[in-house]
Amino acid sequence: MANIKSQIKRNRQNEKRRERNKGVRSELKSRVKTAVASGDDDAVRVAVKKLDSAVSKGVIHKNTAARRKSRLMKKVNAAG
């Protein structure tokens, strides 16, 4: 347990951010899964939009998003 006031505050902030990021990551996974399963253009578009949104929020790195988008498109094109 931290004794320093600034570290106690930092721990609180980190916990809030972790919870927020967890929700974003969870939604990302579910959107990508539905896009792959359905192969629908709208579902793919929403998944790509969510990936870009996660990058802008700082939840994932831009190269990670690019890689995931590439894999998503590869799977969708192979299925359809």
Side-chain angles (χ1 to χ4, degrees):
M1 186 65 196
N3 294 332
I4 300 162
K5 257 188 169 180
S6 60
Q7 188 58 48
I8 292 169
K9 180 179 177 181
R10 177 65 61 196
N11 289 342
R12 279 198 317 264
Q13 289 173 332
N14 288 340
E15 186 60 27
K16 280 183 193 173
R17 289 180 183 137
R18 187 180 71 84
E19 287 298 321
R20 196 177 309 134
N21 292 343
K22 197 164 90 171
V24 173
R25 280 195 206 100
S26 174
E27 188 177 3
L28 269 181
K29 287 179 191 175
S30 59
R31 295 287 183 176
V32 169
K33 279 183 188 176
T34 55
V36 170
S38 68
D40 184 31
D41 286 342
D42 290 334
V44 172
R45 194 175 304 119
V46 169
V48 169
K49 188 175 181 182
K50 290 294 177 182
L51 283 164
D52 291 334
S53 169
V55 170
S56 67
K57 290 177 182 179
V59 177
I60 60 174
H61 193 270
K62 66 178 183 176
N63 290 353
T64 304
R67 184 180 67 240
R68 288 187 185 185
K69 284 191 275 189
S70 174
R71 288 177 181 173
L72 171 65
M73 292 303 175
K74 209 185 251 189
K75 285 179 185 175
V76 168
N77 289 336

